[in-house]
Amino acid sequence: MKFIQTRGFDGTRAEKVTFSEAILSPIASFGGLYVPETLPNLGEEFLTKHLKSSYKELAADVLSRFEIDIDQSVIDEALSLYDSFDDASNPVPVIKVQENLFVSELYHGPTRAFKDMALQPFGKILSSVAQKKNENYLILAATSGDTGPAALETFKNQKNIQVVCMYPANGTSDVQRLQMVTEDASNLKVIGIKGNFDDAQSALKNLLSSESFEKTLNEKNISLSAANSVNFGRIIFQIVYHIHNYLELVRQNATKMGEKAYFNVPSGNFGNVLGAYYAMQMGLPVEKLVIASNNNNILTRLIQTGVYDMRDQELILTTSPAMDILKSSNVERVLFGLYGATRTRELMNDLDTKKIYTLTATELEKLQEIFVADFCSDEKGKEYIKSNFENGYLMDPHTATCFKAYESCCTKNIATVIYSTAEWTKFSPVIANALTGESDTKDITALESISKIASVKIPNMINELFSKKIVHNSVIEKESIEKEIIKFL
Ligand SMILES: *Cc1c(COP(=O)(O)O)cnc(C)c1O
């Protein structure tokens, strides 16, 4: 299958590219993104066939329908990474928490957040494509806390790939920071930037437009790639678990085959729910995709009013930082799917130049046939953490945002799947505060206190972090970043 471009084709590159090409250089003409030219149809027959399949068998079959230019042995090797999840036979448990309400836990991989679902297999595939072409790639990542650890974990010691990961020195939890600075491999460099996530991101932007940096990369024969969720190599793996979740509803007798369900996703850059959108276009019986946000509610407003408005918007720091976002990149792929390339280019141009775009009434209607949305404040989120805990279910603050949207949007009496994107261990101070009112900000104290009141064990990979050797010590001003990276390369 070939990949086409969301903003049309500017004549300077191929009009259609292969999967390998799309994942090595994910930015397309006019700053657009790559999308599959067609989607395979996976109707009821496909679903019925996989009722008894393992997660990996399902994944292999979904991938095979995309006919990507990756050797089967590489795909199999990539999928075998799910064997290292907590339960190799079921990497994504779907847990019933109330009548008709289920939670899909996407965090049972090595770094305890949903990013592992895609980055684990993606790392293997990207490295294999780079080796085959005999080319060297640099991945630059600015992280607010979950992408960094997952990218480092997947690319460590992978041939032909180097990773530089920048994190805000004042912006991550202790666990997230330790997951990065203790990651020991010669192809990885982790740099703390003095400031917040915006500072880390603007440091990355400056670097990408620096001529001297480009010259160094050329001299060293290194090309740039990207591991964020604009890369379709991540999205393809994020289609699989939505299908798996539907099959789980059928297996658990919550849904009859063919009957629709709600999928309720805590969203930031829209990569997770984009996988669900594609699954729905491929035939999965979805009633609505429910978009949950925090107080950065730009997606809620888009879906309720048809206006994407970034004018005079300041990013608000919340207790669900992975969803603190203004520009949500993957929305563009939905615009393309619904309105085509010409209109997408127009809308994205408006966003770049005027910081706002407005859908027509007909366009909004099309969007609302698929999506509904609501947002949840930090305070309300803490109430959901507490009430669910009292009902026997422990969850993190990102997952909690879905419960408000569940109440307001999932009005039909059918099953709903809420997506849990991080384990409680990654955001323990907020959870401890919600459960007991304590406001110690240290992760280690909060982890121990939750572990005690909830009678849950702190997983080894989290416990070990606190005694592991710190290998990446640099915390620098954003102005010195280029020098620091060139030294590493
Ligand atoms: C990345 C992330 C999200 C947001 O996912 P998108 O694909 O960017 O919408 C939500 N929760 C957690 C914990 C995450 O790490």
Side-chain angles (χ1 to χ4, degrees):
M1 177 183 297
K2 290 284 180 128
F3 287 76
I4 54 176
Q5 314 177 43
T6 51
R7 300 188 197 180
F9 161 54
D10 66 9
T12 68
R13 65 190 82 205
E15 188 172 1
K16 297 176 187 182
V17 302
T18 62
F19 177 78
S20 312
E21 289 164 332
I23 68 171
L24 286 172
S25 337
I27 299 302
S29 299
F30 308 112
L33 304 173
Y34 287 105
V35 285
E37 187 173 17
T38 55
L39 289 169
N41 188 321
L42 311 181
E44 204 164 311
E45 199 182 326
F46 179 91
L47 295 175
T48 306
K49 172 180 158 200
H50 282 292
L51 268 174
K52 294 217 165 78
S53 298
S54 70
Y55 190 88
K56 276 195 298 182
E57 286 162 350
L58 171 69
D61 201 4
V62 173
L63 261 72
S64 79
R65 306 295 169 115
F66 277 88
E67 298 172 10
I68 57 178
D69 60 332
I70 303 293
D71 293 341
Q72 191 58 44
S73 61
V74 175
I75 294 179
D76 290 343
E77 213 185 319
L79 293 177
S80 74
L81 292 165
Y82 290 126
D83 293 344
S84 72
F85 281 45
D86 292 340
D87 177 356
S89 73
N90 185 13
V92 183
V94 177
I95 312 287
K96 182 171 179 177
V97 293
Q98 290 170 27
E99 196 52 39
N100 266 344
L101 182 60
F102 294 76
V103 178
S104 167
E105 297 180 345
L106 299 176
Y107 56 73
H108 289 277
T111 71
R112 318 316 281 171
F114 110 92
K115 302 295 189 284
D116 289 328
M117 287 307 303
L119 274 167
Q120 277 288 304
F122 172 71
K124 178 60 77 197
I125 286 186
L126 193 71
S127 163
S128 137
V129 171
Q131 285 172 54
K132 209 165 164 183
K133 291 193 169 237
N134 203 14
E135 291 173 350
N136 291 305
Y137 285 86
L138 171 66
I139 305 260
L140 292 172
T143 182
S144 64
D146 282 342
T147 301
L152 295 167
E153 183 64 30
T154 191
F155 288 117
K156 73 177 170 194
N157 301 318
Q158 295 278 13
K159 293 199 183 87
N160 298 48
I161 307 273
Q162 285 174 292
V163 179
V164 173
C165 177
M166 290 165 261
Y167 69 92
N170 309 326
T172 69
S173 73
D174 299 339
V175 164
Q176 290 173 322
R177 182 177 43 80
L178 289 171
Q179 282 179 323
M180 293 185 270
V181 297
T182 59
E183 197 71 273
D184 192 7
S186 62
N187 67 329
L188 307 179
K189 172 85 182 163
V190 178
I191 305 172
I193 309 279
K194 289 187 184 157
N196 57 25
F197 180 52
D198 274 346
D199 295 308
Q201 231 171 2
S202 75
L204 177 65
K205 271 207 183 117
N206 290 343
L207 207 57
L208 292 176
S209 57
S210 151
E211 278 175 31
S212 55
F213 186 62
E214 195 184 335
K215 192 161 153 261
T216 310
L217 292 181
N218 284 338
E219 282 165 11
K220 296 186 182 289
N221 243 324
I222 300 174
S223 312
L224 280 176
S225 184
N228 56 15
S229 66
V230 302
N231 198 313
F232 198 84
R234 274 178 61 179
I235 302 298
I236 197 167
F237 291 103
Q238 292 178 185
I239 295 172
V240 178
Y241 53 74
H242 300 287
I243 302 171
H244 160 83
N245 290 339
Y246 184 82
L247 292 172
E248 275 295 309
L249 291 180
V250 177
R251 288 178 194 127
Q252 298 187 30
N253 294 320
T255 300
K256 285 197 206 61
M257 178 59 82
E259 194 183 0
K260 291 179 175 175
Y262 290 105
F263 291 74
N264 182 339
V265 186
S267 296
N269 219 12
F270 224 70
N272 193 353
V273 76
L274 181 74
Y277 167 78
Y278 284 135
M280 187 179 175
Q281 303 304 309
M282 285 154 61
L284 198 70
V286 175
E287 174 65 30
K288 292 274 184 200
L289 299 176
V290 183
I291 307 299
S293 300
N294 59 29
N295 271 342
N296 295 289
N297 59 3
I298 201 151
L299 292 167
T300 312
R301 286 182 286 131
L302 171 70
I303 288 156
Q304 292 182 352
T305 68
V307 184
Y308 200 107
D309 188 356
M310 290 172 43
R311 294 170 310 173
D312 310 315
Q313 289 287 312
E314 292 276 347
L315 197 74
I316 304 162
L317 298 180
T318 72
T319 53
S320 44
M323 295 152 67
D324 289 350
I325 198 156
L326 290 176
K327 189 165 182 186
S328 177
S329 310
N330 276 303
V331 173
E332 176 167 352
R333 286 185 161 118
V334 174
L335 299 181
F336 173 82
L338 297 179
Y339 321 127
T342 309
R343 182 61 174 152
T344 301
R345 188 171 154 205
E346 202 171 81
L347 293 170
M348 296 312 292
N349 261 343
D350 281 353
L351 194 63
D352 287 340
T353 54
K354 300 179 212 151
K355 301 227 174 295
I356 179 170
Y357 65 71
T358 307
L359 302 178
T360 65
T362 336
E363 285 169 345
L364 177 59
E365 210 171 293
K366 266 183 145 173
L367 189 71
Q368 291 177 339
E369 272 167 28
I370 300 170
F371 298 99
V372 280
D374 199 358
F375 70 101
C376 178
S377 70
D378 288 355
E379 281 313 306
K380 192 86 191 148
K382 280 199 291 188
E383 287 171 26
Y384 287 120
I385 292 174
K386 186 153 204 260
S387 60
N388 277 283
F389 175 68
E390 284 160 0
N391 279 330
Y393 194 71
L394 181 62
M395 71 173 85
D396 99 297
H398 299 79
T399 313
T401 62
C402 294
F403 282 78
K404 169 101 180 298
Y406 176 63
E407 286 168 8
S408 61
C409 302
C410 303
T411 45
K412 286 197 182 169
N413 191 21
I414 52 176
T416 295
V417 180
I418 280 177
Y419 287 75
S420 185
T421 47
E423 188 178 55
W424 61 276
T425 53
K426 286 203 99 166
F427 300 94
S428 55
V430 181
I431 300 168
N433 178 259
L435 299 185
T436 69
E438 71 193 67
S439 56
D440 190 314
T441 51
K442 281 226 168 331
D443 283 30
I444 187 70
T445 335
L447 284 167
E448 279 163 5
S449 116
I450 298 167
S451 168
K452 209 153 132 201
I453 54 173
S455 307
V456 280
K457 262 191 72 178
I458 305 171
N460 285 339
M461 67 269 264
I462 298 291
N463 244 338
E464 284 163 2
L465 288 172
F466 295 92
S467 50
K468 248 180 159 172
K469 184 165 170 266
I470 292 180
V471 279
H472 303 277
N473 283 304
S474 39
V475 174
I476 61 179
E477 304 283 347
K478 64 180 176 191
E479 288 72 27
S480 335
I481 191 117
E482 181 169 335
K483 236 173 56 202
E484 186 82 10
I485 296 180
I486 289 176
K487 220 165 47 184
F488 162 69
L489 296 176

